[in-house]
């Protein structure tokens, strides 16, 4: 009986020594799985996904890191502003112009001259460029004036301002009745609507075989205001 008690005591002592060998001095179990190491933060120089998102993303106000809006244009609409087509002053319309004609022939000239005034009454600036269309109505039909070929500048006509062009024609000194002029038709540059005026010049043109000096029209500004 005494031998059995000693044997049990020896077994208990061996078990105690084995348990002590599996523990360290602070009582923690070294056989447990160690915790996973945490990834370095951005502040530690890491390049985790959170750091990347902050670098290239947008903030709560929809702004990129440089402070500009993610989709904003230069003026909020993407447009560059300006007025009229391509920012240019619009052309003058026939209905905006007050068109009149006077005899501007200087004594002693071998050619007659009629000055045509175009006054802007449209309430806005507008442009006239090139030549007006000029037709003389006669008892023999319609006669279209030929262009002089002078350079035709672009004229910006302020509201209330006037520009003038000239019409020259051969004087009828043949002693005959010639070709009687009954009216003047003027079409502003780049327009299709015409205005018919009384002819203020000489009553007739000489009858020619086509070899004489033609009726000619100058560009905008080719005659002084009022002749």
């Amino acid at each position: 009986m005494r031998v059995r008690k000693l044997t049990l005591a020896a077994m208990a002592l061996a078990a105690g020594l084995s348990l002590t060998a599996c523990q360290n001095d602070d009582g923690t179990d070294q056989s447990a799985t160690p915790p996973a190491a945490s990834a370095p933060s951005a502040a530690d120089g890491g390049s985790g996904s959170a750091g990347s998102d902050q670098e290239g993303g947008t903030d709560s106000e929809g702004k990129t890191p440089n402070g500009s809006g993610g989709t904003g244009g230069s003026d909020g609409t993407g447009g560059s502003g300006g007025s009229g087509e391509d920012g240019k002053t619009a052309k003058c319309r026939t209905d905006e112009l007050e068109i009149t004609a006077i005899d501007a022939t200087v004594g002693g000239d071998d050619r007659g001259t009629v000055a045509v005034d175009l006054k802007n009454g449209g309430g806005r600036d507008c442009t006239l460029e090139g030549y007006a269309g000029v037709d003389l109505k006669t008892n023999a039909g319609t006669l279209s004036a030929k262009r002089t070929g002078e350079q035709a500048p672009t004229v910006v006509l302020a509201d209330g301002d006037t520009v003038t062009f000239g019409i020259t024609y051969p004087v009828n000194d043949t002693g005959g009745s010639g070709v009687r002029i009954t009216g003047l038709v003027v079409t502003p540059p780049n327009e299709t609507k015409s205005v018919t005026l009384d002819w203020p010049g000489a009553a007739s043109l000489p009858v020619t075989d086509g070899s004489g000096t033609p009726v000619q029209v100058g560009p905008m500004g080719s005659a002084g205001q009022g002749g």
Side-chain angles (χ1 to χ4, degrees):
M1 191 68 157
R2 180 177 178 83
V3 173
R4 184 177 180 181
K5 290 181 179 181
L6 290 175
T7 301
L8 291 176
M11 291 176 63
L13 177 61
L17 292 174
S18 175
L19 180 62
T20 302
C22 293
Q23 295 178 339
N24 61 12
D25 294 338
D26 58 5
T28 57
D29 188 354
Q30 295 296 326
S31 64
T33 303
S38 60
S41 65
D44 296 331
S47 56
S49 60
S52 299
D53 290 343
Q54 293 175 359
E55 187 72 15
T58 58
D59 62 19
S60 60
E61 296 179 359
K63 295 180 179 180
T64 55
N66 61 10
S68 61
T71 58
S74 58
D75 59 1
T77 62
S80 58
S83 61
E85 184 179 355
D86 297 329
K88 297 180 181 179
T89 305
K91 70 177 182 179
C92 299
R93 300 289 186 179
T94 301
D95 291 339
E96 297 175 316
L97 299 171
E98 180 184 344
I99 304 175
T100 56
I102 63 170
D103 183 11
T105 303
V106 177
D109 285 354
D110 60 354
R111 290 176 61 79
T113 301
V114 167
V116 180
D117 291 343
L118 292 85
K119 182 178 180 179
N120 180 12
R124 63 182 180 90
D125 294 356
C126 62
T127 59
L128 290 168
E129 181 177 7
Y131 287 78
V134 170
D135 296 299
L136 300 185
K137 298 173 69 174
T138 76
N139 61 342
T142 300
L143 174 65
S144 296
K146 296 183 179 181
R147 297 177 179 181
T148 61
E150 298 172 73
Q151 184 177 2
T154 299
V155 177
V156 178
L157 201 60
D159 182 41
D161 284 356
T162 300
V163 65
T164 305
F165 68 87
I167 302 169
T168 57
Y169 60 94
V171 175
N172 181 17
D173 55 5
T174 63
S177 59
V179 178
R180 186 165 56 87
I181 303 173
T182 60
L184 168 65
V185 181
V186 177
T187 308
N190 303 307
E191 277 287 271
T192 57
K193 186 175 183 179
S194 302
V195 174
T196 300
L197 307 171
D198 292 334
W199 174 251
S204 64
L205 299 173
V207 177
T208 68
D209 58 3
S211 60
T213 304
V215 177
Q216 291 184 305
V217 55
M220 293 294 113
S222 61
Q225 184 172 340

